[in-house]
Amino acid sequence: MIIETFVLSPFQQNTRILACKRTREAVCIDPGEASANLADFIRDNDLSLKAILLTHGHLDHVGGVSHLAKSFPEAEIILHKDDEDLYYGLPSQPMFLGIPQAQLEALGMVYPQPPRLTRDWQDGNAFEFGEHRLEARHCPGHTRGHVVLVEHSERKIFVGDCLFAGSIGRTDLPGGDQEQRLDSIDRNILSLEDNFVVYSGHGPETTVGRERTTNPFLNGTYRMGRGRYV
Ligand SMILES: [Fe+2]
């Protein structure tokens, strides 16, 4: 599988294009910002974009959907229904993060109304492109409708903002829930074998095994109130 990462937006978010080497069918996971580099990469490599797959509805993960969808109007756009309010409310998200109106333009955060979603993720749904298959697992906690996407045959998981190398996603934004987040990570990510490679929405790649043993939020080093992991 081809995996190309683009670090975009003031949040240094990892936008990824995945593609099947044989059929050239591709998907984009979480286009975080309008960037001509995404469409250029797709065209320069003779890829055919089948879908824009969204892990969740935060602005740094969906901010580039409009721009990319203009170049590839046939591509599906898929998000869990519990994050639709965030997605369609994109133009006002910066306000909820406390970003001053006067800075929006300079930060590239004046967003148009995003295009209509074409489908909802349901827990256990899969999206296929070429010889690859991404299974969606509902992982509420960071947002209500967060999903992670598992490619079993390649032993890869795309986790958005659920889990980072050495850390976990914040839960203090609207829709966040600390307990749900830990349950989601347990059930959907730590249930995989140690050699699955983890691709997060921010920061470097890691593995399930490395996070299971060294992530202070998961191995008991950091006691989350009730110390449930010790
Ligand atoms: Fe997020």
Side-chain angles (χ1 to χ4, degrees):
M1 182 163 66
I2 296 166
I3 302 182
E4 187 74 11
T5 301
F6 302 81
V7 180
L8 299 179
S9 88
F11 297 92
Q12 300 283 291
Q13 183 267 0
N14 293 323
T15 295
R16 291 194 171 91
I17 292 174
L18 317 185
C20 172
K21 282 182 180 159
R22 194 177 65 79
T23 66
R24 314 308 287 175
E25 288 185 342
V27 298
C28 179
I29 299 180
D30 290 352
E33 184 180 59
S35 168
N37 292 342
L38 300 175
D40 287 350
F41 180 84
I42 291 165
R43 294 202 175 105
D44 291 349
N45 289 281
D46 290 323
L47 304 179
S48 139
L49 189 74
K50 283 192 76 185
I52 298 171
L53 307 180
L54 304 172
T55 61
H56 67 295
H58 279 156
L59 59 83
D60 55 329
H61 292 253
V62 307
V65 173
S66 294
H67 190 263
L68 188 59
K70 268 200 195 104
S71 301
F72 303 97
E74 304 303 317
E76 290 220 53
I77 307 171
I78 310 178
L79 175 73
H80 193 281
K81 64 178 173 6
D82 291 351
D83 269 14
E84 282 187 4
D85 53 347
L86 285 170
Y87 179 81
Y88 290 119
L90 174 64
S92 53
Q93 276 196 48
M95 204 171 69
F96 292 109
L97 289 174
I99 298 168
Q101 192 81 24
Q103 291 181 15
L104 295 184
E105 188 119 23
L107 291 169
M109 290 185 186
V110 178
Y111 300 110
Q113 191 58 35
R116 301 299 301 177
L117 297 164
T118 61
R119 218 199 288 183
D120 294 326
W121 286 127
Q122 311 274 347
D123 188 50
N125 267 179
F127 188 88
E128 292 181 17
F129 59 103
E131 294 171 343
H132 301 289
R133 182 176 190 273
L134 290 166
E135 176 205 343
R137 297 180 168 192
H138 186 206
C139 278
H142 178 67
T143 62
R144 281 186 288 266
H146 199 300
V147 300
V148 297
L149 301 169
V150 189
E151 216 299 352
H152 288 275
S153 65
E154 296 244 339
R155 306 182 88 70
K156 293 176 171 42
I157 179 165
F158 300 87
V159 298
D161 288 357
C162 269
L163 176 66
F164 304 117
S167 188
I168 51 179
R170 60 193 285 190
T171 53
D172 57 316
L173 298 170
D177 184 303
Q178 190 164 296
E179 281 297 305
Q180 261 188 352
R181 168 187 57 182
L182 291 172
D183 286 341
S184 290
I185 293 172
D186 266 356
R187 195 173 51 249
N188 297 303
I189 303 175
L190 297 185
S191 57
L192 297 169
E193 287 169 37
D194 283 349
N195 64 355
F196 269 75
V197 178
V198 176
Y199 294 84
S200 298
H202 303 266
E205 291 152 28
T206 181
T207 64
V208 168
R210 193 180 307 147
E211 295 315 302
R212 193 196 309 283
T213 52
T214 67
N215 188 313
F217 294 92
L218 305 179
N219 70 6
T221 309
Y222 181 89
R223 293 175 68 92
M224 305 266 299
R226 296 194 275 125
R228 62 186 270 171
Y229 287 98
V230 293

